[in-house]
Amino acid sequence: MSYLINRNPPGRLECLHNLCKFISSKYNLGDTFNMKDIKYDSSEDNILNHCSLLKSNSLLNIKYCPYKDNPLNTSGCSLTNGVNDDTTKSKEISNTVNALDALGFLLRRKRNIQITHQGLLFAKTEYNSIEMLKIIRNAVSGYGMFIGFLAQIKLLGKNSFDTNEITLGYPNSNEKILYEGNTIIISGGSESDSNTRTKSCLLAWGISCGFFIPENLDDDSYNADTSYQVVTRTYTLAKKRNLRKYKVTNFPDHLFTGNHIVKKPLDYNNLTKNTGALRENNQAKIRELTLKVEPKIKNRRYAIIYALNKAYLEKSTLDFDSLINFLNDYPELFIVNQETFEDVMYSELNIAFMVGTPFSVSDNNELKPLVGVDMVEVSLGAPIGLINAMKKFNI
């Protein structure tokens, strides 16, 4: 189970390291806590007492988060914000916990959170060490969205890339339905600003791992054992990271050789964006309709992941048309508009790169999955009727 990361502060792995040091000072393996317990609270031991990146203000005689412009800001830390902040600022701690869960350093199950063995190791390891490089490389390889991100770079087949060549976010099918006398486009895809924030975070992780590096930061002396999290920290810790051109360096090709299973794919409940947020800009009807058909959107996206993973495990390829034909037998589960269903299914294919089952296209136009996923994780929250239907699908 994992979540979409749609804010970029967790891209600063050194900040996450400091937060895990704080968490490990309060909680042991098996201890359960919630988000509020790790927010900044000036009346208790807090993240600032464990942070190595603080700035000093000699006039006020205080140290403060370098990502807060005001030294007296009561929210304290850019990753967590404070216990007294409003609900809008509380989104930051949720995104941070989601990032730590995606990396395997925390385990989140709804409101309950625990630190993991890997989280304790991350917290206790010196950040500048080669051991830390191994930890973070292993961590990012478990997150489905990061694997999909890497696969897009691999499929470019080049030694360099521009960030505009990489697409992230939930697919936009532009599916239209006549609803209460009006033609309405279902809002099932991500907005461009959310995609940009997600990409910024994943880019920073890849840079820290040394998988790729901004072209103007490359150095001929760097090799596979360079502590990239150290030599690139000035850039990855910057308030703004907006370089677009990258050189591929120590790319993890081994992840795509036929044996990698993604441990942290998106689960069923995270196969669509938060539709409940569609309240502004006269989007009430779009929200109402999207919520009504959202189960079918999730179901068809789940079907894509299930079929690709089945093909991967069977060392086979997927004839996507055969999957569409199969789904046509279950209109109550998958079909919103029969006339456009086939086109919509093709537009939904990029969900595979979001969840963690990226693919290449073979010469006969069949889909070749590049990795597998833990379907137990993907199936969390999925209706039993959907699971039973997909068990009948054969490659």
Side-chain angles (χ1 to χ4, degrees):
M1 179 179 187
S2 70
Y3 304 80
L4 171 71
I5 301 169
N6 61 4
R7 292 171 181 252
N8 59 39
R12 301 187 292 265
L13 285 170
E14 193 165 352
C15 286
L16 294 183
H17 182 239
N18 289 325
L19 180 58
C20 278
K21 288 193 294 184
F22 167 55
I23 294 172
S24 66
S25 73
K26 291 185 67 174
Y27 303 104
N28 297 313
L29 284 175
D31 291 345
T32 298
F33 55 95
N34 58 45
M35 293 183 193
K36 188 175 181 180
D37 294 327
I38 57 175
K39 283 187 174 183
Y40 172 75
D41 186 343
S42 61
S43 66
E44 298 180 357
D45 185 28
N46 59 65
I47 174 59
L48 298 193
N49 296 328
H50 301 263
C51 181
S52 60
L53 301 173
L54 301 182
K55 293 178 68 175
S56 297
N57 185 300
S58 57
L59 184 63
L60 298 173
N61 193 29
I62 60 172
K63 292 184 176 181
Y64 64 99
C65 175
Y67 304 101
K68 297 292 185 182
D69 294 328
N70 180 2
L72 298 177
N73 192 313
T74 58
S75 60
C77 171
S78 67
L79 282 180
T80 68
N81 285 327
V83 292
N84 296 319
D85 288 328
D86 59 28
T87 54
T88 300
K89 289 185 177 179
S90 290
K91 293 179 181 178
E92 206 65 71
I93 181 63
S94 179
N95 188 69
T96 297
V97 168
N98 289 346
L100 287 168
D101 176 271
L103 293 168
F105 298 145
L106 295 182
L107 177 64
R108 177 186 176 185
R109 288 293 183 259
K110 295 183 178 179
R111 294 178 180 272
N112 296 323
I113 307 166
Q114 295 181 348
I115 192 167
T116 65
H117 284 282
Q118 281 301 110
L120 287 176
L121 181 63
F122 179 58
K124 297 181 184 303
T125 302
E126 170 61 41
Y127 188 77
N128 293 344
S129 66
I130 195 66
E131 288 77 14
M132 178 59 75
L133 180 63
K134 295 175 183 177
I135 289 171
I136 60 177
R137 283 177 171 174
N138 179 65
V140 297
S141 69
Y143 182 37
M145 188 175 296
F146 190 80
I147 291 296
F149 179 69
L150 287 179
Q152 288 192 60
I153 297 171
K154 180 176 178 63
L155 291 171
L156 290 173
K158 303 188 298 184
N159 293 324
S160 62
F161 65 93
D162 188 295
T163 56
N164 288 337
E165 297 178 275
I166 308 299
T167 302
L168 291 174
Y170 293 110
N172 271 308
S173 66
N174 294 315
E175 192 167 14
K176 297 178 181 179
I177 296 182
L178 187 64
Y179 185 66
E180 295 184 354
N182 299 304
T183 300
I184 295 177
I185 299 177
I186 296 173
S187 179
S190 300
E191 301 299 326
S192 59
D193 59 339
S194 175
N195 296 344
T196 299
R197 294 193 299 268
T198 301
K199 190 185 298 185
S200 175
C201 180
L202 301 188
L203 280 167
W205 288 359
I207 294 168
S208 295
C209 290
F211 297 156
F212 44 79
I213 192 170
E215 286 186 345
N216 64 344
L217 298 184
D218 190 30
D219 189 306
D220 291 339
S221 66
Y222 296 164
N223 57 50
D225 294 324
T226 296
S227 294
Y228 282 93
Q229 79 278 19
V230 178
V231 299
T232 63
R233 69 192 300 272
T234 298
Y235 180 68
T236 56
L237 290 175
K239 286 187 176 182
K240 292 184 178 181
R241 304 182 297 267
N242 52 17
L243 297 178
R244 289 174 45 190
K245 296 187 181 298
Y246 288 79
K247 178 181 177 181
V248 176
T249 49
N250 298 282
F251 194 83
D253 286 300
H254 67 278
L255 297 176
F256 303 103
T257 57
N259 298 303
H260 187 64
I261 301 294
V262 171
K263 297 178 181 178
K264 288 283 187 175
L266 296 185
D267 67 288
Y268 177 83
N269 288 324
N270 286 289
L271 293 181
T272 57
K273 68 179 182 180
N274 181 12
T275 310
L278 292 171
R279 296 187 178 92
E280 65 281 351
N281 300 326
N282 299 315
Q283 295 186 94
K285 282 198 176 295
I286 297 176
R287 175 177 178 268
E288 184 180 340
L289 176 59
T290 304
L291 286 172
K292 185 176 181 179
V293 302
E294 187 175 65
K296 291 186 176 182
I297 298 174
K298 289 180 179 178
N299 289 354
R300 68 198 188 198
R301 291 177 177 179
Y302 176 92
I304 291 171
I305 304 308
Y306 183 97
L308 282 168
N309 187 64
K310 185 177 180 67
Y312 182 80
L313 295 178
E314 295 183 6
K315 306 297 182 183
S316 182
T317 57
L318 173 64
D319 180 344
F320 196 58
D321 287 336
S322 71
L323 174 62
I324 295 174
N325 291 335
F326 173 82
L327 301 185
N328 267 309
D329 292 336
Y330 300 88
E332 73 284 0
L333 285 175
F334 303 107
I335 300 177
V336 175
N337 185 335
Q338 183 66 67
E339 292 182 2
T340 60
F341 181 60
E342 182 175 346
D343 289 339
V344 165
M345 283 300 295
Y346 273 95
S347 71
E348 292 280 33
L349 261 175
N350 274 345
I351 192 65
F353 288 82
M354 285 280 290
V355 176
T357 52
F359 58 87
S360 61
V361 181
S362 65
D363 292 338
N364 60 357
N365 289 325
E366 293 196 346
L367 309 183
K368 181 182 179 181
L370 301 177
V371 299
V373 291
D374 185 341
M375 281 305 299
V376 173
E377 292 289 307
V378 178
S379 299
L380 291 173
I384 189 65
L386 170 65
I387 295 173
N388 287 337
M390 289 311 302
K391 285 180 179 179
K392 300 175 184 178
F393 175 73
N394 294 311
I395 298 297

